[in-house]
Amino acid sequence: MMRTRPLKVALLGCGVVGSEVARIMTTHADDLAARIGAPVELAGVAVRRPDKVREGIPAELITTDATALVKRGDIDVVVEVIGGVEPARTLITTAFEHGASVVSANKALLAQDGATLYAAAQQHGQDLYYEAAVAGAIPLIRPLRESLAGDKINRVMGIVNGTTNFILDKMDTSGAGYSEALDEATALGYAEADPTADVEGFDAAAKAAILAGIAFHTRVRLDDVYREGMTEVTAADFASAKQMGCTIKLLAICERAADGGSVTARVHPAMIPLSHPLASVREAYNAVFVEAEAAGRLMFYGPGAGGSPTASAVLGDLVAVCRNKRGGANGPGESAYTQLPVSPMGDVVTRYHISLDVADKPGVLAQVATVFAEHGVSIDTVRQQGKDGEASLVVVTHRAPDAALSGTVEALRKLDTVRGVASIMRVEGE
C-alpha cells in the first residue's frame, strides 16, 4: 500500500544538473512514486540568483536561504549539487541534524572531508549517497559499496574525466596538438573557460580518493593522491606510443600493495596497450576497470558528465534513499576498518617510457645504460635515431619504483652527452 504523505525533497543548486533533477522529478513523478512506494515532492529549491527563469519550477519553491530550507524539519531528503567545500559541508551536516538524508554529487567535498560527512550521517541515523560524484551516469559507487562488498578489490584503474579523454583522443586520432584539441573541446562545451581542474588532474584526483577509500575500506583524502596533469603530452609522445602499440590516457589508478599492507592512489598520463579495454574509450566517455580477487576483471563504461547523465545518477540515489526512509532502514555508511596507510608515489612500481635528446656519437648508449644500472632500473628496450650530431634515445624500462626512476633521470640530466629529457611517461595496463 502506497504511503499517503509524500517524501519531501529539498534541492540545493539549480544549475545544469540541478535543473535536470527537478525536471525528471516532475515529468517522471508517477514512475518514481511507483518505484519508491510513496510519492516524492520537490519542497524547495535553494539558488543564488532567484530572478533567473527556471522553467517548470514554481516560483514559490525558490529560495536564497539554503540554511533555512535544510532546517525545516519536514524535509526527508536533501539533494546537494552546488559543489565546493563550503557552504556545502555545513548545509549537509545541518540537514543530517534536522532529520534529512543527503544525496550529493560533490566530489571535492567528499575527497577532502568525507569522514566528517559520514560521521554526521551515522550520528543522526541518516543516509549519505553520492553515486553522481564519480563518473556521472556510470553505476560505480554502489557496485563497489554493495555488489563487491564481499570481495577483495586489488586495483581500480580508469578514465574518470571526459574533458581530458576528449582532448587526448583528438590528439591521438587527428594528430592535433594539445592547444588545438583543447580549443575544440572548449568550443563543443566539454571544457570550461578555465580548464585547470580537468587538465591538471584535480578533478580526477578527487574521484581517485573516493574510489580508493571505498575499494580498500580505508580513508584516502585528496592530499594523499599523487597528481600529474596532461598539458605536457605532445604529438611526439603519441607517435612513440603508436610505435609501442599503445595510446595515451589520463588515468586514475588506485592499488593495494602486493603485501596488502598499504595502498596507493595516483592520477597521471600513461601509455596503455591498444589491447587494453580502456584504450578504446573514445571522446568524452569515462570507463573504470576494477580487478577483484573473486569477481576478476570488471569494466564500467558510459558518459561521465553532463546534466542528464549526472542527474540520472542523482535520481538513482534519490530512489534508494527514499526507499530506505519508507522502510525505516539505512544504506551502507563509511567502511574504513582496514586503516591502511597510503604509500607515497616513490614506492609505486611501474614501467617507464623515457625520451632523451642526446649527442650522436659513440658511447652515449653505454653511458645511459650505466646510469640506469647504477640506480637499479632494468632496461627493456632501446630505440635510437640520429643525424647531424644530434639524436633521440627512447628507453622503455622494466618495472621499477618511482623513486629509483626519479634518481635515474636526475643523473641522466648531469651527463654531458644528454642534451635534455624530452618526456617521461609511465606504461600501465600490462
Side-chain angles (χ1 to χ4, degrees):
M1 180 176 179
M2 188 172 290
R3 143 182 182 162
T4 304
R5 185 182 78 81
L7 290 151
K8 293 189 176 182
V9 178
L11 179 61
L12 307 183
C14 198
V16 173
V17 176
S19 59
E20 189 66 7
V21 169
R23 185 192 68 78
I24 295 174
M25 285 186 64
T26 302
T27 59
H28 296 168
D30 291 342
D31 287 337
L32 291 173
R35 294 165 191 171
I36 293 167
V40 287
E41 174 188 315
L42 187 59
V45 181
V47 300
R48 287 185 298 177
R49 294 180 292 170
D51 297 332
K52 182 179 178 180
V53 176
R54 293 173 172 86
E55 187 175 346
I57 300 177
E60 61 268 21
L61 295 184
I62 300 296
T63 179
T64 57
D65 193 343
T67 301
L69 180 59
V70 300
K71 282 184 174 181
R72 273 178 37 174
D74 64 334
I75 299 296
D76 295 289
V77 184
V78 170
V79 174
E80 182 270 311
V81 288
I82 58 177
V85 175
E86 286 293 355
R89 175 170 48 199
T90 298
L91 291 170
I92 289 173
T93 55
T94 301
F96 290 142
E97 292 167 4
H98 288 78
S101 289
V102 173
V103 173
S104 176
N106 196 330
K107 55 185 173 288
L109 175 56
L110 287 159
Q112 184 168 316
D113 198 17
T116 295
L117 305 187
Y118 277 123
Q122 182 177 13
Q123 179 183 353
H124 298 286
Q126 303 299 325
D127 277 334
L128 172 64
Y129 276 56
Y130 47 90
E131 185 68 65
V134 180
I138 304 172
L140 179 61
I141 300 299
R142 197 168 301 144
L144 291 177
R145 292 175 87 185
E146 300 178 36
S147 303
L148 296 172
D151 208 339
K152 180 181 179 182
I153 298 173
N154 293 316
R155 196 174 202 230
V156 179
M157 180 172 78
I159 299 162
V160 295
N161 183 277
T163 300
T164 55
N165 199 58
F166 179 90
I167 293 170
L168 291 172
D169 181 52
K170 290 301 174 185
M171 292 176 69
D172 185 23
T173 57
S174 70
Y178 167 76
S179 297
E180 184 182 350
L182 174 60
D183 288 344
E184 184 175 353
T186 304
L188 292 172
Y190 292 128
E192 301 287 344
D194 180 1
T196 302
D198 295 324
V199 300
E200 293 295 351
F202 291 101
D203 175 83
K207 296 169 181 176
I210 296 169
L211 292 174
I214 298 170
F216 307 132
H217 303 278
T218 197
R219 285 181 180 169
V220 179
R221 300 180 70 250
L222 180 59
D223 292 344
D224 296 322
V225 181
Y226 171 84
R227 178 193 55 78
E228 184 182 321
M230 42 77 71
T231 57
E232 301 300 318
V233 177
T234 66
D237 291 325
F238 274 102
S240 292
K242 287 180 180 179
Q243 289 183 332
M244 292 176 58
C246 293
T247 188
I248 299 171
K249 299 292 185 181
L250 184 74
L251 298 179
I253 304 173
C254 313
E255 292 179 303
R256 188 191 300 269
D259 63 3
S262 64
V263 299
T264 59
R266 51 198 165 101
V267 169
H268 54 71
M271 294 181 179
I272 58 172
L274 295 175
S275 58
H276 194 283
L278 291 176
S280 61
V281 178
R282 300 287 310 280
E283 298 198 335
Y285 276 77
N286 284 192
V288 177
F289 201 70
V290 177
E291 298 178 26
E293 201 164 85
R297 296 181 173 185
L298 310 170
M299 192 166 99
F300 302 82
Y301 169 85
S308 294
T310 306
S312 172
V314 169
L315 267 295
D317 277 353
L318 179 63
V319 169
V321 169
C322 286
R323 285 173 175 169
N324 292 343
K325 281 280 185 180
R326 184 170 177 267
N330 287 112
E334 182 183 30
S335 177
Y337 70 92
T338 63
Q339 299 182 7
L340 295 172
V342 181
S343 296
M345 187 63 190
D347 292 347
V348 171
V349 177
T350 188
R351 297 179 68 204
Y352 298 87
H353 175 283
I354 304 167
S355 180
L356 304 171
D357 294 326
V358 300
D360 186 15
K361 61 182 183 179
V364 172
L365 180 56
Q367 286 185 327
V368 169
T370 298
V371 170
F372 276 89
E374 288 174 346
H375 289 81
V377 179
S378 176
I379 293 176
D380 182 16
T381 63
V382 177
R383 187 175 70 254
Q384 185 173 5
Q385 294 177 324
K387 63 178 181 178
D388 300 327
E390 298 296 330
S392 64
L393 192 66
V394 176
V395 179
V396 179
T397 74
H398 288 292
R399 290 171 60 82
D402 190 86
L405 190 281
S406 297
T408 302
V409 171
E410 287 305 309
L412 288 171
R413 293 184 194 276
K414 296 176 182 178
L415 292 178
D416 292 338
T417 51
V418 174
R419 310 297 193 213
V421 179
S423 70
I424 306 172
M425 194 166 296
R426 296 167 183 86
V427 182
E428 299 285 349
E430 295 183 311

